[in-house]
Amino acid sequence: MDFGAVLQTNPPASRVVQLAKLAEAHGFSHVWTFDSHLLWEEPYVIYSAILAETRRVTVGPFVTNPATRDWTVTASVFATLNEMYGNRTICGIGRGDSAVRVTNGKPVSMSELRESIHVIRELANSRPVKYKGSTLQFPWSKGSELDVWVAAYGPLALKLTGEVGDGFILQLADVDIAAWMIKTVKDAAAAAGRDPDSLAFCVAAPMYIGDDWQHMRDQCRWFGGMVGNHVADIVTKYGPSTGSGGGEVPQALTDYIAGRTGYDYNTHGKADNDHVDFVPDEIVDRFCVLGTAEQHIEKLQQLKDLGVTQFAGYLQHDNKEETLRVYGETVIPALSTHITAKA
């Protein structure tokens, strides 16, 4: 299992770079950031600084969207960073949440998402692509490599992920829900004639090392509110689940938003979010990875057994450095392949 650290690009940018370097030092393979250009600083500029000051980590957005940038511009950024720093980028993409809603826009359609994935991936892999009636290619790009991982919750998005994604991003760490969604993506991949095991499966959630459960929950409750935005869209489209065996999405994913009254993007993804009281402790515990190192290892092992290939931990709380340290010294080694010096 690989490990990623998910950061917000809050100023100063030097702090983001510092945390990225610390994540690399503790054995994390990926550094991801939010991509919401009004709420936080521009991530692609900061990626260049991170890549310049690290040697191994792969960087990318968690997640970008097809609405706020021309797809060819997005592809050009990745191809340029790869030329500069040696194929150390990755693209997480979804239909769009805060980046489009703050500007009074709305998520793109499934067909737009599908087409954008194709255009971005082809161009950023130094290949030609049909775009708006022309065949385009970067004449300066040679040997660039970019995987595109799709963030999804709803049935149609999960199906699309299995059909065209290089990987699947699930932004919650509930073991039962993860099992259902991973199976859904794998089934879609198989139905499309793809090898389901060729996809990467990334589970993302706040990670907090500690033993004060109420404090940890309060620091990570924002995550249930963020997930609730996507769940609300699903309920609007498909209706609430009628039970664990009925409906198109698990009841465990939809029931908790019954008390949701609204969402203020000004505190999106922040520990001091003041409008997520509707998220119960049970959901925080299920969606996040909290507690001692041993408790983290136990839950992550369950996810690994489901086929999860990367855990990406959000660090939007007050215990960033200690959590990275314990992961580097205890959690990551426990979930890595062990090799003996002498058989």
Side-chain angles (χ1 to χ4, degrees):
M1 178 184 279
D2 289 334
F3 289 83
V6 186
L7 309 174
Q8 284 177 345
T9 53
N10 293 307
S14 58
R15 168 67 166 156
V16 182
V17 177
Q18 177 191 44
L19 287 169
K21 293 168 66 176
L22 189 61
E24 180 180 71
H26 285 305
F28 287 77
S29 61
H30 290 67
V31 172
W32 304 91
T33 76
F34 286 53
D35 178 11
S36 197
H37 56 288
L38 284 173
L39 299 181
W40 301 290
E41 292 184 319
E42 172 57 38
Y44 293 95
V45 176
I46 297 175
Y47 295 157
S48 192
I50 292 173
L51 290 165
E53 296 196 31
T54 57
R55 293 295 176 267
R56 297 180 304 279
V57 289
T58 297
V59 304
F62 212 83
V63 298
T64 193
N65 68 86
T68 54
R69 293 179 176 85
D70 183 276
W71 309 339
T72 64
V73 173
T74 299
S76 180
V77 172
F78 285 116
T80 300
L81 290 173
N82 283 342
E83 189 279 322
M84 294 173 68
Y85 301 107
N87 289 334
R88 290 168 55 204
T89 65
I90 190 166
C91 179
I93 195 168
R95 294 177 59 217
D97 183 34
S98 63
V100 295
R101 296 186 196 271
V102 170
T103 56
N104 297 322
K106 61 181 181 179
V108 302
S109 68
M110 289 297 170
S111 61
E112 289 175 298
L113 178 58
R114 182 186 296 269
E115 186 181 359
S116 72
I117 291 167
H118 176 67
V119 170
I120 292 169
R121 181 166 49 206
E122 293 307 293
L123 286 175
N125 279 276
S126 303
R127 296 191 291 258
V129 70
K130 293 283 188 181
Y131 182 69
K132 295 184 178 180
S134 298
T135 299
L136 305 180
Q137 186 171 4
F138 300 137
W140 45 266
S141 177
K142 293 178 176 61
S144 177
E145 297 177 4
L146 181 77
D147 281 350
V148 180
W149 293 6
V150 186
Y153 291 106
L156 289 178
L158 293 170
K159 180 175 181 290
L160 180 149
T161 301
E163 291 172 346
V164 303
D166 296 309
F168 167 45
I169 294 172
L170 171 59
Q171 295 179 75
L172 56 83
D174 180 279
V175 175
D176 293 336
I177 295 173
W180 180 85
M181 291 196 172
I182 289 171
K183 181 181 184 303
T184 301
V185 171
K186 285 190 172 185
D187 287 348
R194 307 180 71 198
D195 176 5
D197 293 328
S198 68
L199 276 69
F201 290 91
C202 176
V203 161
M207 56 178 178
Y208 195 119
I209 294 287
D211 54 18
D212 183 341
W213 277 86
Q214 195 55 54
H215 181 73
M216 290 188 292
R217 288 166 177 152
D218 289 342
Q219 284 285 301
C220 298
R221 200 175 304 276
W222 64 268
F223 185 67
M226 186 185 81
V227 173
N229 294 332
H230 304 285
V231 175
D233 285 344
I234 293 170
V235 171
T236 298
K237 183 175 181 64
Y238 297 99
S241 296
T242 57
S244 59
E248 294 192 75
V249 290
Q251 186 175 14
L253 182 60
T254 61
D255 279 359
Y256 84 98
I257 68 162
R260 182 178 184 267
T261 57
Y263 194 80
D264 181 1
Y265 279 96
N266 287 309
T267 52
H268 182 63
K270 296 182 178 180
D272 60 355
N273 191 316
D274 58 1
H275 52 277
V276 292
D277 292 343
F278 71 92
V279 182
D281 287 349
E282 176 195 3
I283 287 294
V284 180
D285 296 351
R286 289 173 59 183
F287 283 16
C288 303
V289 183
L290 312 175
T292 64
E294 291 72 23
Q295 289 168 315
H296 283 241
I297 292 167
E298 180 182 3
K299 186 167 188 176
L300 293 174
Q301 183 62 57
Q302 294 179 60
L303 292 168
K304 183 178 180 180
D305 291 342
L306 293 177
V308 173
T309 58
Q310 181 177 146
F311 171 65
Y314 288 90
L315 284 173
Q316 284 67 56
H317 55 63
D318 61 3
N319 198 34
K320 297 177 180 65
E321 283 85 356
E322 178 65 4
T323 295
L324 288 173
R325 182 189 69 80
V326 174
Y327 261 72
E329 294 182 2
T330 306
V331 178
I332 293 176
L335 291 157
S336 300
T337 301
H338 295 282
I339 300 173
T340 57
K342 184 177 181 180

